[in-house]
Every structure is written in C-alpha cells, then in structure tokens.
C-alpha cells in the first residue's frame, strides 16, 4: 500500500474495498514496525479512495494506531472521508475511539506540531462541547486562530458571513499529545516539546539527529515550548549542555512561548547565560526575516570540526554518486555524463542561477551530500513530482527537498547492501549558493562535476 | 526511467494475433461455433488454455469439459469470444513476473475473476453484445504493460513513491505523455478488437470519461469492478491494488447498484 512521509507526517493511502479479507496483506508486521520505528509526528490513514470498509478492514490500521500511541505517543487518525464514512466509524468505535478523525488531510495538518503554516483562521463546529473546546485549545496551541461556533445554526451563519481559511466540521479529536516533533522551516529546525520537561527529555530528544543537523549546516534551533507546563532542573541542565555544545558551531537555540509560571524563574537566567534566547511567539522570529537570517546564518570561523573524508567513504563513493545520478536521471528522463572528479574544497565556477540542497547521513558512517543544480534542471526534475512545470520558487525548493530525500533513501538502500547502515537527516535547500559556500568553507570533499543534457550539475561529498 | 522510444519499441514488438486465433474470432463474429471450435483446435496452446480456464472453479461447471466444440457450445458466442481474447492477452504476459507478485495461474485467475463478474454486470444491465462482453479481456493489459515497462525500475518507482503517492499511470503520463490505457488502446487496434472495446477501456481509466453516455456507464462499472477484484487478498498481495489510482468520484453514482449486483453488505 502506498504511504508517504511529508513534513514528519506519515500517511497511508489504501484504496478500493477494505473488508478484512486482505487485512494482513494491506499492512504487514514489517510495515507496522518500520512506521513505529521511524517515529513520525502523526500517522494518518486517508480514506479518500476507499469506497467500502468494515471493522475487519480497518483493524490493521487500528492495531498500528495502538502500537504507535503506546510506543511513541504519536497522534493517529483517519482523514479524507465524507459524512457517511465519518458516522460509520463513530458507530463502529463509539466505546473505544482512541484515534482522531480529520475530515481532510489539510485539517489534520493543522493539528500536527510540525505544520509549517501558522496563524490559520479556522471556523470550527462539533456538537459535542468538550470536542469543540479541545479542538480550539489544540489549534490555539499550534499557533492558529480558532473561531468556535456554539450551535449548528451559528456555524451556518458564520460560514455564510465570514471568510475563513479553513472550516472544520465532522472532525473528532482523539488522544493527540505528542513527543518531541521536528520540522524544518527555511534555515531553522523547530522542535516541539510539551507538558512536563524532566530527565526524560534526554531519552526522547534525538541528540544524534541534532548534531548531524549542525554538521549539515543548520544553525538555528527553535524549541516550541508553548505547550510546556513546567521544567525541572534535569531538563534545564540538558538544555544548557545542548546550548554549550552548539556554541562550537555558532548555533543559536531559542525557546518560544515558554511560560515560567510553574518553573523557577532563575532557570530562565541560567538558560540565558548558556546562550538560549527566549521569545514570546513563533512569529517574533519567523516573521522577522532579518533576525531569522542573522540567527540562522552560518559562521565560517566557528565551524570547529573540520573533519576529512576517509577511506571508507571513498570506497563507497560510487554508491553516493550512483544514488544521486540515478535519481536525477529518473526524474529528468535524461542521461548524465561525468565530467570531472576531484578531491578539494567545493568549487563552483558560475554561481548565477544555481540552487542547492544538502542532506546529512549518520550511523556506520557520517557526512553530508551537497547537490548544486541550475534552476532549469531542478525545475525539470521536480516536474515528475509536481505533475506540471512551475515557476514558483518556493514550490521548486520544497520539491527539491523531496528529491533529495529520494537520493537519501536510495543511498540508504545501496549502502545497506554493503552492510553499512545509515540514517538520513531532513534535507536543507538553498535558494542561492552563497550560504552553502559558507557552510563548507574550509571543508575538503569529493566533487563530481556532471552534465545532464549539457546542463552542469555538481555533487559534493564531505564530512 | 522510461522513454517514449521504449514504449514505441514495446508496442512494435507486440505480435499480431496468430492465424488460428484470427480464424477462431472470425467464425465467432459470424456466430459459427462449430467452425470456430475447429479453428481453435488447430492451436494446441489455445485448446489447452481454454480447457484450463473453463474448468477453473470460478466458471462453476459441475462436469469437466474437455471438448472444444462442447466448450464453445456451453459458453455461447459472446463468452467464447471473451475467453479467446483472454488467451490472446495471456500471450503477452511475461514468463516471470518481477514488478507484481504474479504467476501464470494467478494471472489466469484474475482474467477469470474479471470475466465472470463482468458477465454479472452485463446481465444486470441487460446488455448482450459480444464486443462489450469481450472488452473486459483487454483490461489486464494495463497490468502486463506496467510489468513490461516498470519491471527494471522497481527501486526507482518505490523511492519515488516514498515521497509522493503517485501511481504508475501518472508516472508514465508525466514522463512520456501517454498512459497505460492509451497503450491498451494501441494493443486493441493492433488486434482489431473493435472500436467499442477501446472506448470502454479508455473510459474505465476513470480519467477520460466518454461523451457517449452508454460507453461512459460501462467505463464506470468496469473501473469499479477492477478495484473490487484488486481488493481481494491475492491481488493485494501481488501488489496490484494501487498500481493505478481508484477514481472514487467517477463511480460513486453506481456504487449502490454495484454492491447489490456483487452482494456486498
């Protein structure tokens, strides 16, 4: 069954008839284990292309939901249904509705902590008052503006009179509290933390991922703490150490929306001494482009670890290049020609009209791949994913990130064939190459110059 | 991944229908069952295929039928034509499947499942037309063509689909501006399968509704039938459930009727 992970949300797309006879074939134990292990911030099952289902047919997904809730507290639910399907599910599970029901995937994303678009103007109605309140609180916590209709009549009146970005109805909120979720916005990584921060943060926070994101070039890390109730001394020490270790890279750590009502105020001073900056709202950073650029910009002087590529990486170089070339060839339906290979610092002769992307990997070996494209190749490569040609620079960069994800996935597979297990970081994209050059300044790596139908393309592998 | 040149080469390589088959179909078109049976008997592979297919459980005959004239007699003209077309299509199927977990038996079962259920639908719609009855035979060509074009690119397809829920039909359309149903139409034309067959198959994609109301209704029923069959465990396991997109909006207005015909509760 098709499934994709987008912005940290894993979505399954069953289609046809879900009647239980094919349950095991639809979602194998391996699928369940892989999904739970990847720890997405939300798991959704889209019913858009399901025309018939019964409880047996939904059972494999319910099992997945239960495991994901138990293991990772992942938010889980069904989406993309009509009123008939919604009522049927409510009827099936009226006594044990532990999952959520989101009318559309877009509505579900509003409740996901890693959703990029904030401050969405939302009208919502549910006949159950506690549901209305729970949804409004959750949306508010996620940075949106919910308007709650108290009756169906009021709901209709507001629909007729108001202008809302999104209207929420036939939606049910199940258990939704989540773990440390991660998302990327521009050049910042945003971690979402909630409830009580104590020694457990050391367990739930993926420190490897964080350090490899630093290595890839991310310099701004924002902790969305608007749902944090309190923090104890163990958590404070954890964040202080995190800030100190990030200082080697000139990284900035910010806390947003942290209330100190139930946390000792002196903790704030200690954290500020460690270099952590506090903001009241996410928009104070994200909407302030100058500040965002300054906090997230790379620093040449402070990249302390100048590691060199090693023999193991050189041995695996064909795999790295093949993963990249095969992906771009697949996406552009063209053939690549290798022009030159050299071990040196990154050298780009013509930086005009070039965009770039990077992805890190860590595990049995670590490092990062940089890809520098002419915009035209990037556009062509993204057409297969978008379905049409586009001039939208933001969409091209977003799609480029998907493309680099495919490269990362392919690389993971190729290396695992040689018993080398690696994980990949979230990809980062660069609208121009100057910021990329700052990140790799002084780093030696393997540069492969390639041509795709006479367009120059550059691959760089470094640590 | 796939180029238009590869597609053209694939279509060029599709063999014309063998003489014995052509003769069999010609006599079936003229409703001359005995001559059709004689022609079919000239081709040992065809005879063997017919015996296996017609005696499979899905056809539900209580006694084994081993005689070709008897077989055609029991089936009648339209269904005989249908099984002959099924045989023609099976000639295109690979010896070893890579993209889909299929083999000769499961593929024949799929053909039979589609044919038998299509017959139920046509009985419900009160349609007796040999060309319409045999049009279902062409539908599994979408699977054969997908296998042929994508089997060497399984990993690429899987990587692509890990970030984007795209189906094989869309990949082909975006890469080469031609889709699986267009290729089926080319096969139908090469085999002189009749215009209505091509039209129904195109409509059954759910992407190109026919302007002809009757053809469009048949396209809807065929599209829904395909996904009804492909939701069966053996075909889900074979990886067939999502190789093309189910166009649920296209078939919504016939679903209630369909569920009655198929006895879905």
């Amino acid at each position: 069954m098709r499934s994709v992970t987008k912005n940290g949300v894993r979505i399954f797309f069953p289609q046809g008839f879900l009647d239980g006879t094919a349950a095991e074939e639809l979602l194998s134990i391996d699928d369940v284990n892989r999904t739970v292990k990847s720890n997405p911030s939300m798991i959704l099952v889209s019913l858009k292309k399901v025309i018939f289902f019964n409880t047996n047919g939904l059972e494999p997904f319910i099992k997945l939901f239960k495991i994901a809730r138990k293991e990772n507290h992942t938010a889980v639910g069904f989406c993309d249904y009509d009123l008939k399907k919604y009522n049927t599910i409510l009827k099936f599970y009226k006594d044990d509705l532990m999952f959520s029901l989101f009318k559309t995937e877009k509505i579900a994303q509003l409740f996901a902590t890693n959703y990029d678009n904030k401050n969405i103007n939302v009208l919502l109605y549910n006949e159950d008052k506690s549901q209305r309140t729970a949804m409004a609180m959750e949306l508010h916590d996620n940075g949106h503006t919910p308007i709650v209709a108290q009756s169906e009549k009021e709901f209709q009146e507001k629909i007729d009179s108001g202008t809302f970005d999104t209207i929420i109805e036939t939606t049910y909120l199940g258990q939704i509290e989540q773990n440390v979720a991660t998302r990327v916005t521009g050049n910042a990584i945003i971690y979402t933390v909630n409830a009580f921060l104590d020694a457990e943060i050391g367990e739930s926070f993926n420190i490897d991922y964080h350090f490899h994101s630093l290595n890839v070039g991310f310099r701004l890390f924002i902790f969305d703490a608007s749902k944090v109730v309190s923090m104890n001394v163990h958590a404070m020490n954890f964040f202080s150490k995190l800030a100190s270790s990030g200082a080697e890279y000139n990284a900035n750590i910010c806390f947003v929306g942290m209330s100190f009502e139930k946390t000792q105020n002196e903790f704030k001073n200690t954290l500020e001494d460690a270099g952590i900056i506090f903001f009241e709202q996410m928009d104070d950073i994200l909407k302030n482009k100058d500040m965002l650029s300054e906090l997230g910009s790379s620093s040449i002087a402070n990249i302390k670890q100048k590691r060199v590529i090693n023999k193991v990486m050189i041995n695996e170089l064909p795999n790295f290049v093949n993963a990249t070339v095969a992906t771009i060839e697949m996406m552009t339906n063209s053939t690549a020609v290798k022009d030159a290979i050299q071990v040196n610092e990154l050298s780009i002769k013509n930086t005009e009209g070039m965009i770039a992307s990077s992805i890190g990997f860590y595990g049995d070996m670590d490092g990062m791949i940089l890809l520098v494209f002419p915009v035209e190749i990037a556009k062509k490569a993204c057409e297969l994913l978008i379905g049409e040609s586009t001039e939208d620079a933001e969409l091209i960069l977003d799609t480029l990130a998907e493309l680099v994800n495919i490269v990362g996935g392919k690389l993971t597979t190729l290396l695992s064939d040689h018993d080398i297990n690696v994980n990949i970081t979230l990809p980062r994209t660069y609208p121009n190459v100057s910021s990329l050059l700052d990140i790799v300044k002084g780093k030696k790596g393997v540069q492969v110059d390639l041509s795709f139908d006479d367009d120059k393309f550059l691959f760089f592998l470094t640590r | 991944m796939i180029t238009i040149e590869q597609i053209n080469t694939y279509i060029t390589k599709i063999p014309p229908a063998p003489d014995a088959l052509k003769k069999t179909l010609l006599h079936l078109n003229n409703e001359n069952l005995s001559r059709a049976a004689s022609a079919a008997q000239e081709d040992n592979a065809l005879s063997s295929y017919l015996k296996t297919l017609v005696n499979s459980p899905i056809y539900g005959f209580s006694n084994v039928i081993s005689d070709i004239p008897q077989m055609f007699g029991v089936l009648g003209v339209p269904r005989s034509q249908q099984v002959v077309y099924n045989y023609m299509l099976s000639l295109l199927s690979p010896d070893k499947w890579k993209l889909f977990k299929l083999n000769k038996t499961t593929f024949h079962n799929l053909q039979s499942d589609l044919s038998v259920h299509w017959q139920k639908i046509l009985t419900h719609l009160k349609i007796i037309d040999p060309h319409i009855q045999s049009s279902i035979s062409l539908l599994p060509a979408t699977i054969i063509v997908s296998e042929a074009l994508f089997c060497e690119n399984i990993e690429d397809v899987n990587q692509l689909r890990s970030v984007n829920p795209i189906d094989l039909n869309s990949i082909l359309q975006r890469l080469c501006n031609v889709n699986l149903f267009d290729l089926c139409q080319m096969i139908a034309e090469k085999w002189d399968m009749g215009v209505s067959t091509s039209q129904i198959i195109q409509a059954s994609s759910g992407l190109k509704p026919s302007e002809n109301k009757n053809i469009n209704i048949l396209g809807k029923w065929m599209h829904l039938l395909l996904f009804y069959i492909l939701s069966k465990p053996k075909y889900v396991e074979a990886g067939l459930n999502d190789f093309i997109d189910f166009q649920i909006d296209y078939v919504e207005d016939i679903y209630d009727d369909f569920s009655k015909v198929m006895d879905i509760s």
Side-chain angles (χ1 to χ4, degrees):
Chain A
M1 184 189 5
R2 272 176 280 177
S3 67
V4 300
T5 304
K6 204 163 188 177
N7 298 325
V9 177
R10 178 94 160 164
I11 312 172
F12 289 89
F13 297 92
Q15 59 176 12
F17 296 71
L18 299 181
D19 63 0
T21 53
E24 282 187 19
E25 282 75 18
L26 270 176
L27 205 59
S28 67
I29 293 168
D30 273 356
D31 289 332
V32 172
N33 289 341
R34 265 199 303 271
T35 304
V36 173
K37 198 180 165 197
S38 65
N39 194 10
S41 62
M42 186 180 262
I43 298 174
L44 294 173
V45 175
S46 169
L47 297 176
K48 191 192 262 178
K49 290 183 182 289
V50 173
I51 200 158
F52 170 86
F53 62 82
N54 57 23
T55 45
N56 290 335
L58 296 184
E59 195 50 33
F61 302 113
I62 304 295
K63 274 187 189 162
L64 168 67
F65 290 167
K66 285 182 177 166
I67 295 169
R69 287 293 312 160
K70 191 179 167 196
E71 298 283 323
N72 303 326
H73 303 290
T74 312
V76 293
F78 292 99
C79 65
D80 297 329
Y81 46 72
D82 57 16
L83 183 61
K84 192 177 163 193
K85 286 178 189 166
Y86 174 72
N87 286 331
T88 306
I89 297 176
L90 285 180
K91 194 174 144 198
F92 283 167
Y93 297 98
K94 60 184 173 188
D95 298 324
D96 188 23
L97 201 55
M98 45 69 70
F99 50 84
S100 297
L101 297 169
F102 303 106
K103 190 179 179 189
T104 63
E105 184 196 323
K106 191 181 164 196
I107 289 174
Q109 294 277 7
L110 296 177
F111 292 91
T113 47
N114 46 6
Y115 187 52
D116 275 346
N117 296 333
K118 296 288 171 184
N119 207 14
I120 303 282
N121 200 15
V122 185
L123 172 66
L124 75 90
Y125 175 69
N126 187 299
E127 60 183 21
D128 181 341
K129 192 181 173 190
S130 63
Q131 273 291 316
R132 293 200 294 267
T133 310
M135 278 190 254
M137 283 171 65
E138 201 63 38
L139 288 167
H140 184 264
D141 284 348
N142 278 1
H144 308 301
T145 311
I147 311 279
V148 183
Q150 300 299 332
S151 67
E152 201 165 350
K153 189 175 167 233
E154 188 189 340
F155 183 56
Q156 281 307 328
E157 284 169 359
K158 283 198 185 319
I159 290 174
D160 295 339
S161 63
T163 50
F164 300 94
D165 300 321
T166 303
I167 293 169
I168 299 181
E169 57 180 330
T170 51
T171 289
Y172 175 91
L173 210 56
Q175 298 161 7
I176 200 155
E177 80 279 5
Q178 296 165 36
N179 232 328
V180 180
T182 309
R183 72 181 193 270
V184 174
T185 177
N187 55 359
I189 286 189
I190 303 177
Y191 300 119
T192 304
V193 283
N194 53 40
F196 300 93
L197 296 180
D198 51 25
E200 212 175 86
I201 188 73
E203 301 286 321
S204 58
F205 187 77
N206 189 341
I207 197 78
D208 280 348
Y209 177 86
H210 178 75
F211 280 117
H212 288 286
S213 298
L214 278 167
N215 201 34
V216 171
F218 286 100
R219 293 291 175 265
L220 177 57
F221 299 90
I222 304 171
F223 282 86
D224 183 349
S226 49
K227 283 198 264 183
V228 168
V229 178
S230 71
M231 176 193 290
N232 73 6
V233 69
H234 300 293
M236 185 201 68
N237 286 335
F238 172 83
F239 289 114
S240 295
K241 279 182 191 166
L242 195 71
S244 307
S245 56
E248 292 178 3
Y249 295 82
N250 207 26
N252 286 301
I253 293 182
C254 304
F255 264 67
V256 170
M258 176 79 192
S259 158
F260 282 86
E261 274 179 28
K262 293 183 180 173
T263 302
Q264 292 180 42
N265 228 353
E266 64 190 66
F267 283 9
K268 186 178 181 183
N269 298 333
T270 309
L271 290 170
E272 280 178 336
D273 288 346
I276 291 174
I277 312 166
F278 286 85
F279 292 90
E280 282 186 15
Q281 294 177 46
M282 195 61 82
D283 281 357
D284 294 345
I285 310 179
L286 299 186
K287 290 271 168 79
N288 187 337
K289 296 290 176 197
D290 289 340
M291 186 189 290
L292 188 62
S293 171
E294 192 182 326
L295 290 174
S297 67
S298 322
S299 167
I300 307 155
N302 286 288
I303 297 172
K304 206 174 174 182
Q305 289 180 304
K306 281 184 183 170
R307 298 179 305 160
V308 290
I309 53 168
N310 53 26
K311 195 179 168 188
V312 185
M313 284 178 84
I314 295 287
N315 285 343
E316 296 301 328
L317 183 64
N319 281 326
F320 285 97
V321 177
N322 288 345
T324 308
V325 168
T327 305
I328 311 292
E329 283 187 339
M330 170 182 82
M331 306 293 278
T332 57
N333 237 357
S334 55
T335 310
V337 178
K338 275 180 215 154
D339 292 334
I341 300 179
Q342 55 180 326
V343 179
N344 216 329
E345 287 186 25
L346 179 63
S347 150
I348 305 172
K349 283 176 191 156
N350 183 9
T351 56
E352 277 298 304
M354 306 292 258
I355 58 175
S357 187
S358 64
I359 193 161
F361 53 91
Y362 58 98
D364 291 348
M365 64 164 69
D366 62 275
M368 77 169 147
I369 297 170
L370 304 171
L371 306 176
V372 183
F373 301 80
V375 175
E376 288 310 310
I377 282 200
K379 276 201 265 187
K380 196 175 171 193
C382 294
E383 268 178 37
L384 182 59
L385 291 170
I386 300 169
E388 58 190 10
S389 60
T390 180
E391 296 297 325
D392 183 338
E394 207 166 314
L395 181 60
I396 291 170
L397 282 175
D398 281 351
T399 316
L400 195 60
E402 286 186 7
L403 185 150
V404 178
N405 244 339
I406 297 176
V407 172
K410 203 169 181 62
L411 175 66
T412 312
T413 312
L414 287 174
L415 291 178
S416 73
D417 290 344
H418 295 114
D419 288 331
I420 299 171
N421 295 310
V422 294
N423 295 310
I424 52 173
T425 64
L426 288 174
R428 184 182 170 181
T429 53
Y430 307 82
N432 56 61
V433 290
S434 56
S435 49
L436 173 74
L437 288 169
D438 281 348
I439 287 185
V440 291
K441 183 112 185 172
K443 286 192 175 195
K444 276 194 176 180
V446 184
Q447 178 169 334
V448 183
D449 293 323
L450 301 147
S451 299
F452 282 86
D453 293 343
D454 295 332
D455 282 320
K456 300 292 177 196
F457 168 86
L458 193 151
F459 166 94
F460 189 68
L461 174 67
T462 187
R463 292 185 76 205
Chain B
M1 185 158 39
I2 295 165
T3 62
I4 193 74
E5 288 77 21
Q6 283 173 283
I7 291 174
N8 289 338
T9 307
Y10 176 75
I11 294 294
T12 312
K13 279 185 181 169
I14 291 172
D19 282 345
L21 266 177
K22 278 186 188 167
K23 272 196 264 176
T24 309
L25 285 167
L26 183 71
H27 295 311
L28 284 171
N29 277 339
N30 294 331
E31 302 194 6
N32 191 332
L33 284 171
S34 63
R35 282 192 158 197
S38 302
Q41 280 170 322
E42 287 173 24
D43 187 326
N44 289 338
L46 172 59
S47 304
S48 166
Y49 174 87
L50 292 174
K51 282 173 194 168
T52 310
L53 188 80
V54 172
N55 289 302
S56 66
I58 191 148
Y59 276 86
F61 296 123
S62 51
N63 299 319
V64 174
I65 307 171
S66 52
D67 181 52
I68 301 291
Q70 187 193 6
M71 204 176 289
F72 279 3
V74 170
L75 290 173
V77 171
R79 290 180 78 189
S80 299
Q81 205 172 34
Q82 197 181 62
V83 291
V84 172
Y85 277 126
N86 276 345
Y87 170 70
M88 279 173 71
L89 199 71
S90 73
L91 295 177
L92 279 186
S93 67
D95 291 335
K96 195 170 180 190
W97 294 77
K98 290 182 187 171
L99 181 67
F100 302 116
K101 287 182 201 158
L102 286 172
N103 55 38
K104 272 204 172 359
T105 309
T106 46
F107 185 72
H108 292 171
N109 287 342
L110 174 65
Q111 289 181 302
S112 306
D113 280 335
L114 287 168
S115 297
V116 169
H117 286 92
W118 184 239
Q119 194 54 47
K120 273 190 197 173
I121 289 168
L122 297 184
T123 305
H124 167 76
L125 297 174
K126 299 186 175 63
I127 292 174
I128 306 168
D129 177 322
H131 290 296
I132 291 174
Q133 279 172 296
S134 57
S135 60
I136 193 70
S137 310
L138 188 60
L139 194 56
T142 52
I143 296 164
I144 292 174
V145 173
S146 297
E147 174 72 28
L149 296 178
F150 287 97
C151 70
E152 299 303 330
N153 303 292
I154 300 169
E155 281 186 17
D156 287 344
V157 169
N158 289 341
Q159 296 287 358
L160 186 62
R161 294 174 98 186
S162 68
V163 299
N164 196 310
I166 193 170
D167 67 326
L168 300 185
N169 206 33
S170 303
I171 293 175
L172 202 57
Q173 180 72 47
R174 289 178 190 181
L175 286 175
C176 305
N177 205 23
V178 61
N179 68 38
L180 294 169
F181 294 86
D182 296 332
L183 299 181
C184 285
Q185 186 175 339
M186 291 179 203
I187 294 171
E189 284 162 6
K190 195 158 188 171
W191 286 350
D192 299 323
M193 287 182 81
V195 179
S196 59
T197 300
S198 298
Q199 288 174 333
I200 295 167
I201 289 293
Q202 278 287 8
S204 76
S205 69
L207 299 169
K208 292 182 188 168
S210 174
E211 287 176 10
N212 179 321
K213 198 179 158 194
N214 294 332
I215 295 284
N216 201 40
I217 287 174
L218 288 165
K220 287 181 183 199
W221 281 87
M222 195 180 272
H223 187 72
L224 189 48
L225 171 63
L226 179 66
F227 281 92
Y228 175 67
I229 298 297
L230 296 187
S231 296
K232 306 273 178 207
K234 55 189 171 183
Y235 305 124
V236 172
E237 194 184 356
L240 288 171
N241 181 263
D242 56 8
F243 83 106
I244 55 173
D245 268 347
F246 180 32
Q247 306 298 331
I248 196 166
D249 295 340
Y250 180 56
V251 299
E252 223 146 25
D253 59 335
I254 59 153
Y255 177 71
D256 286 343
D257 274 357
F258 183 89
S259 57
K260 280 177 201 152
V261 174
M262 298 299 157
D263 204 16
I264 300 165
S265 55

